[in-house]
Amino acid sequence: MTSTTAQEPICARQLGFCKTMPRARTRSWLTAGLLAGAQLTAAYTLDLSSTDSLKSVASSMTEDMMSFYSGDKPGGTPGLLPQPYYWWEAGALMGALIDYWYYTGDTRWNALTTEGLLFQTGPNNDYMPPNQTVTEGNDDQGFWGMAVMTAAEYNFDNPPPDKPQWLSLAQAVFNTQAARWDTKDCGGGLRWQIFTWNNGYDYKNSISQACFFNLAARLALYTGNQSYADWADKTWDWMVATNLINSEYYYVYDGTHTNNCSEITPYQWTYNAGAFLLGAAALYNYSTGPVQSIWRDRVDGLLNGTQVFFTGPNKDIMTEVACEPVDLCDLDQQSFKAYLSRWMAATTKWAPWTYDRIKPLLQTSAQAAVGTCTGGANGRMCGLKWDQGAKWDGSMGVGQQMAAMEVVLGNMIEQVDSPVTDRKGGTSKGDPGAGGLDMGRNDPLHRADAWPPVSQGGKAGAWILMLLTVVGVVGGCVFVLVDEGRGVKEQIEGVRDVVIVAGGMGRRRKGNKLRKESPDILGAMVAAGSLEKERGGGVSRSDSDRTLRGDEGSENEWKTEAEHVVKPVGEPPIIQVPHPRNRKPLRTTLLAKQHQRQSSKATRGSYWKENDGSGETVVDEAAEVKNVDNNNNVVETASTPPPKKRRDSDPGSGGSKDKVTLPPRKGPLKKEVRWRDTVEGGQRLDV
């Protein structure tokens, strides 16, 4: 049984929008038992009615959160979390430390916070530091911008006068993002990634729009400049037009790809709803008249939409519903509840009527969060799942600690002052044109002031360096080609032969003959296969041999028909094959291998022929094979029986098919070479 005294909105489970019903003075017995059990087992004893208790628990949680931070330790970088945490979450951490000071008045972390916020500003003071710019997204930059906006609104200690101020840094982030507003795809919006080559450049996600909207609305309220409010209106209208904000239930979906802007990614995250909620509250506070009424309705709608993130027996414990129930929250998502807690509490300052709805949700969520803080070596590290009872779920990290700390701090929202503006207590100095050097920049490594114009002296120095480089290259080539054993003229002619070979002019033609005095060049040409037959594309064995012997005056034409052709040549040279440990030049080695292959072919049916000048062919019954020993000396073998002469009139001569008839020739008998067909019609020489 419960008693009622007032009206409180409650959300329908299926639709996610709120209707009014009597508000319960006491919670259900089930929820009360859950919270009581949490207090019995948790490391903390949280008294929601005691400011001292809230501050004490928040202090311990903050200390445990900062145990993960290494920016203030030797070798660390101010403002950065260690791997595997991303840069954007360090910006969110700085915002959490500002919140801690704002609620508790404890200045323990203030110097560290100021150092981190200033160290990561980048060369143009707009949170695009070179060590992060290549992979930076609009949402990453946005979290740093919202952190410094919070510093300006809460009158956090201002930086030294020679450093950029909080308000000017927030304006710089806004200016660079406004310049990236993209109407080419989906009619507007910011892309997730800033630079084209990053995965996600083709995605327009809601958190990038939410950060931009949040920052624009708060700048409008702080400065009174209507142009910021216009950008916030423009962002809201685009979100509704693309259905990333459902205009009926005010759900905020994850995003859409630019190749199909009507296809929505339907995941809902706590930080998307929270960022739009706080921005809408700021615009309500900034506006007047009918416009203010519009923003009040939007604040109520967004608050109704957040009810989807509250689960548990009484639907009042904050949960990251897209990933917690299925145990799929990644490192980023483990921190998202911190931002919804932060921004829901801040909303009550600019939209005071929301306090009665928001404060009870923060109370039950804080008690549930404290109940999970029993893990780690110190026995008080907080877990991720707050709706699972008073137990630690085994997870811990920056995100878990930050979320628990923020929801506890939010329970003191009524005890702190409202945010200031530059007309009401604000002290931070602004710069409306800040960030101009990075506006529209599409090269992450380029800075407008990094490359000054080249002077005349610089141009002259460049020409001198180029000349020295050319001289060095040419001189090196000459040094490589010089042979100390030759004269200058021979050196030049040798270089000419190299050029001829390299140019594919290795075939002997009239008027373009290679010099006999360049055996090294010719050998290299043979080894590289530069010589070709006029037709067929293969390297002719006899052509190579004749080239090495210098028989370049022959006027005999090559014949490529598939018929036996006898072509008289001189004695084949005896090639000395070097021992592997004492290699000769490449030309000799390759020709020796070719000669060995030539000899081996003789055992597979090659034979010698003799022409006795009578026009009839004498065919050896067996071929004589020359063997080469290990010292490359020719070993004489036993002679085969003398050949039998076979004439056309002899029986079994096989007719003209088994012999080749040549016209009689005069002169001494010569060993001759017989050509025959081999694989695929290519011409090969058998000895």
Side-chain angles (χ1 to χ4, degrees), residues 360-378:
L361 296 173
L362 295 177
Q363 288 177 324
T364 54
S365 295
Q367 285 284 22
V370 167
T372 68
C373 300
T374 60
N378 60 6

Side-chain angles (χ1 to χ4, degrees), residues 475-520:
C477 293
V478 172
F479 176 79
V480 169
L481 295 174
V482 165
D483 186 347
E484 297 180 356
R486 297 182 179 180
V488 175
K489 181 178 179 181
E490 292 179 339
Q491 297 283 357
I492 296 174
E493 292 176 343
V495 171
R496 186 194 65 182
D497 290 342
V498 171
V499 173
I500 293 174
V501 173
M505 301 175 63
R507 286 178 297 189
R508 300 190 312 279
R509 298 172 183 171
K510 293 181 178 180
N512 184 27
K513 298 180 181 180
L514 296 180
R515 301 173 64 255
K516 296 180 182 180
E517 293 81 4
S518 303
D520 293 339

Side-chain angles (χ1 to χ4, degrees), residues 16-17 248-251 277 295-306 357:
F17 64 93
E248 183 177 359
Y249 306 126
Y250 287 88
Y251 295 152
L277 177 64
W295 283 111
R296 176 171 180 142
D297 292 340
R298 291 171 177 173
V299 170
D300 286 337
L302 288 166
L303 189 55
N304 293 343
T306 62
R357 295 179 57 186

Side-chain angles (χ1 to χ4, degrees), residues 270-591:
T270 53
Y271 71 162
N272 283 331
F276 276 104
L277 177 64
L278 181 61
L283 288 174
Y284 164 81
N285 199 274
Y286 169 78
S287 305
T288 59
V291 177
Q292 189 178 53
S293 298
I294 292 173
W295 283 111
R296 176 171 180 142
D297 292 340
R298 291 171 177 173
V299 170
D300 286 337
L302 288 166
L303 189 55
N304 293 343
T306 62
Q307 191 62 40
V308 73
F309 302 115
F310 290 87
T311 62
N314 220 30
K315 304 298 179 186
D316 55 2
I317 298 175
M318 192 181 297
T319 305
E320 199 64 59
V321 294
C323 63
E324 281 185 26
V326 290
D327 297 319
L328 292 177
C329 294
D330 63 21
L331 202 65
D332 292 348
Q333 295 154 6
Q334 292 168 3
S335 71
F336 287 178
K337 289 185 293 188
Y339 319 127
L340 179 57
S341 301
R342 176 190 302 177
W343 292 326
M344 286 184 76
T347 294
T348 65
K349 290 298 187 182
W350 288 330
W353 77 92
T354 63
Y355 175 84
D356 289 339
R357 295 179 57 186
I358 291 174
K359 182 64 182 292
L361 296 173
L362 295 177
Q363 288 177 324
T364 54
S365 295
Q367 285 284 22
V370 167
T372 68
C373 300
T374 60
N378 60 6
R380 67 183 193 187
M381 300 300 289
C382 301
L384 176 65
K385 298 180 179 180
W386 299 345
D387 64 345
Q388 302 297 308
K391 61 180 181 180
W392 180 53
D393 61 4
S395 69
M396 63 180 181
V398 173
Q400 291 89 326
Q401 290 302 127
M402 192 192 309
M405 181 202 73
E406 288 279 13
V407 76
V408 169
L409 290 173
N411 280 276
M412 294 184 284
I413 185 63
E414 71 277 7
Q415 302 175 27
V416 296
D417 295 331
S418 296
V420 300
T421 67
D422 63 357
R423 301 174 304 281
K424 294 181 180 180
T427 60
S428 186
K429 303 298 182 182
D431 179 6
L437 293 177
D438 273 331
M439 286 194 217
R441 177 160 67 96
N442 54 18
D443 178 5
L445 302 179
H446 172 71
R447 285 180 20 219
D449 59 345
W451 306 104
V454 180
S455 64
Q456 293 297 327
K459 293 179 180 179
W463 279 104
I464 293 173
L465 288 176
M466 183 179 69
L467 180 61
L468 292 175
T469 301
V470 172
V471 171
V473 171
V474 173
C477 293
V478 172
F479 176 79
V480 169
L481 295 174
V482 165
D483 186 347
E484 297 180 356
R486 297 182 179 180
V488 175
K489 181 178 179 181
E490 292 179 339
Q491 297 283 357
I492 296 174
E493 292 176 343
V495 171
R496 186 194 65 182
D497 290 342
V498 171
V499 173
I500 293 174
V501 173
M505 301 175 63
R507 286 178 297 189
R508 300 190 312 279
R509 298 172 183 171
K510 293 181 178 180
N512 184 27
K513 298 180 181 180
L514 296 180
R515 301 173 64 255
K516 296 180 182 180
E517 293 81 4
S518 303
D520 293 339
I521 301 301
L522 297 174
M525 181 173 63
V526 172
S530 298
L531 291 176
E532 296 181 294
K533 293 168 57 177
E534 281 296 318
R535 291 183 294 171
V539 177
S540 171
R541 172 65 194 264
S542 65
D543 191 18
S544 302
D545 290 346
R546 293 171 68 246
T547 301
L548 292 174
R549 289 193 303 270
D551 300 337
E552 299 179 33
S554 176
E555 299 296 334
N556 294 324
E557 296 293 333
W558 296 106
K559 297 188 178 184
T560 60
E561 293 80 348
E563 64 180 16
H564 298 302
V565 179
V566 176
K567 191 174 185 64
V569 297
E571 285 288 344
I574 298 177
I575 305 298
Q576 299 293 330
V577 180
H579 193 274
R581 291 192 299 268
N582 188 23
R583 282 293 182 197
K584 296 292 181 66
L586 177 64
R587 173 177 63 85
T588 306
T589 303
L590 292 179
L591 291 178

Side-chain angles (χ1 to χ4, degrees), residues 560-565 674-686:
T560 60
E561 293 80 348
E563 64 180 16
H564 298 302
V565 179
R674 181 178 183 275
W675 293 78
R676 66 188 182 92
D677 295 338
T678 58
V679 179
E680 298 180 0
Q683 300 293 331
R684 296 293 184 270
L685 178 64
D686 291 329

Side-chain angles (χ1 to χ4, degrees), residues 158 164-169 171 222 427-431:
N158 287 317
Q165 303 300 298
W166 305 134
L167 180 59
S168 67
L169 288 169
Q171 291 171 315
Y222 190 96
T427 60
S428 186
K429 303 298 182 182
D431 179 6

